[in-house]
Amino acid sequence: MKILVTGFDPFEGNQVNPSWEAVKQLPDHIGQHDITKLEVPTVFHKVMNVIQQALDSEQYDAVVAVGQAGGRAEITPERIGINIDDARIADNDGQQPIDIPIQLKGAPAYFSNLPVKRMTENIKQQGIPAKLSNSAGTFVCNHILYQLGYLNATRFPNMLFGFIHVPYIPEQVESSEQSPSLSLDTIVKGLIAAIEAIDRNDDIKIALGETH
Ligand code: PCA
């Protein structure tokens, strides 16, 4: 498969974003997959203009977006993106959005159509902490996952799409020892394991994700 993997630029005072740091270190080929890497802005709507441009100029079988989740100790493939973009319509870097690539009439939420459980298990098999997450939060990471679902529903029906959150890297938490982190090398290995597990077969049938 031809897979587009995105990572975010640093946001809210962070010096780096481990998602892009890790994505840019991915090899060009993972198993059968050809990997294209793209850095995207942590800005509502603008991020989707960048992704749409990429999807219009090249045909991808899958898009895997990756982002930082400070405070998490595991690599967490996300199950679902929710539609809260009504709250974000004027939040485009302080500017009025001109060309919003969304319709608020989209579904209330979209489930990732990647085999998120197989991906989670494959990361764990490398001895790397991973969990299936049932919430991508309410910031740009949820936005990108929801919007990828919307694009899948309206324009790219064959496209697989999903999102993976990664923890901080150690240099980001030096001043606050309480925050968990994983080495960049471990995050890169975890992403490789996740991407390796991507195929169009049905996901494995096991219960994953916290219920309380
Ligand atoms: N993490 C943020 C947005 C960009 C990023 O890397 C989030 O979890 O929404």
Side-chain angles (χ1 to χ4, degrees), residues 36-142:
T36 302
K37 306 158 222 172
L38 179 68
E39 186 179 16
V40 294
T42 307
V43 181
F44 286 103
H45 306 299
K46 203 163 153 185
V47 63
M48 293 314 298
N49 288 332
V50 174
I51 289 180
Q52 288 217 49
Q53 243 172 39
L55 295 180
D56 286 337
S57 58
E58 187 75 58
Q59 213 182 326
Y60 291 100
D61 300 294
V63 182
V64 180
V66 183
Q68 151 186 316
R72 287 192 190 174
E74 308 89 2
I75 297 177
T76 51
E78 296 290 347
R79 197 195 287 262
I80 191 167
I82 59 174
N83 186 358
I84 47 171
D85 281 333
D86 56 337
R88 302 298 180 192
I89 213 84
D91 195 4
N92 189 11
D93 220 3
Q95 297 164 13
Q96 281 299 313
I98 301 157
D99 184 21
I100 300 172
I102 60 155
Q103 294 297 328
L104 292 173
K105 294 190 182 84
Y110 293 109
F111 282 84
S112 168
N113 58 3
L114 290 175
V116 286
K117 294 178 178 177
R118 186 178 304 122
M119 291 161 68
T120 304
E121 291 299 291
N122 212 41
I123 303 169
K124 285 198 270 184
Q125 269 169 25
Q126 312 299 310
I128 297 168
K131 255 188 194 168
L132 180 62
S133 166
N134 289 325
S135 172
T138 55
F139 193 38
V140 184
C141 293
N142 172 72

Side-chain angles (χ1 to χ4, degrees), residues 6-23 40-42 65-76 78 133 135-142 144 163-173 179-182 184 187 191:
T6 69
F8 282 104
D9 62 5
F11 65 102
E12 283 175 4
N14 289 279
Q15 297 301 308
V16 292
N17 191 318
S19 65
W20 175 241
E21 295 305 312
V23 167
V40 294
T42 307
V66 183
Q68 151 186 316
R72 287 192 190 174
E74 308 89 2
I75 297 177
T76 51
E78 296 290 347
S133 166
S135 172
T138 55
F139 193 38
V140 184
C141 293
N142 172 72
I144 196 175
F163 192 92
I164 303 174
H165 263 126
V166 299
Y168 284 137
I169 49 178
E171 70 209 59
Q172 292 180 283
V173 300
S179 252
S181 64
L182 284 180
L184 187 56
I187 293 175
L191 291 179

Side-chain angles (χ1 to χ4, degrees), residues 139-158:
F139 193 38
V140 184
C141 293
N142 172 72
H143 171 75
I144 196 175
L145 178 54
Y146 175 80
Q147 292 295 333
L148 285 172
Y150 181 77
L151 287 175
N152 171 243
T154 55
R155 289 194 52 205
F156 304 104
N158 297 321

